[in-house]
Amino acid sequence: MSRTSVLTDGQWARIQPLLPSSAGRRGRPFRDDRRVVEGIIYRYRCGIAWRDLPESFGPWQTVRARHRGWSEDGTWDKIHTTLMAQADAAGLVD
């Protein structure tokens, strides 16, 4: 496992279907959502500035823009709510 690997395949399988599609949006279609999500997680985990994000996550501007868009449209809230509901249903929440 590399230093910048963040999510297991199982974790990604639970998050990926909750992310918005780029279908119907202007501009280029989204590429490699996993790399972007892992870049966002890595940035917060390490407490670094966006500009200091390792190149393995892609352009920092792309990661930052996607994070901002998902924050504004409620994607992160939806992901949090869904994952908490799944954990609660499995008896993992006290």
Side-chain angles (χ1 to χ4, degrees):
M1 181 176 279
S2 76
R3 179 177 71 85
T4 57
S5 182
V6 178
L7 296 172
T8 66
D9 290 339
Q11 292 167 328
W12 176 245
R14 291 174 47 206
I15 294 170
Q16 193 269 333
L18 304 173
L19 294 172
S21 168
S22 62
R25 294 185 184 204
R26 293 182 358 188
R28 288 188 194 163
F30 290 164
R31 290 187 322 179
D32 204 357
D33 283 335
R34 183 174 182 164
R35 184 169 76 159
V36 170
V37 170
E38 288 186 343
I40 293 165
I41 293 168
Y42 182 86
R43 187 239 178 195
Y44 280 102
R45 185 180 73 191
C46 295
I48 59 174
W50 288 111
R51 290 179 185 263
D52 295 332
L53 198 63
E55 290 180 16
S56 62
F57 296 114
W60 68 266
Q61 297 93 333
T62 300
V63 179
R64 180 188 172 277
R66 196 91 58 91
H67 173 60
R68 182 175 180 183
W70 289 341
S71 295
E72 291 173 353
D73 72 7
T75 296
W76 292 124
D77 293 332
K78 180 177 85 172
I79 291 171
H80 180 258
T81 301
T82 302
L83 294 178
M84 287 298 292
Q86 290 173 359
D88 190 31
L92 301 173
V93 178
D94 290 337

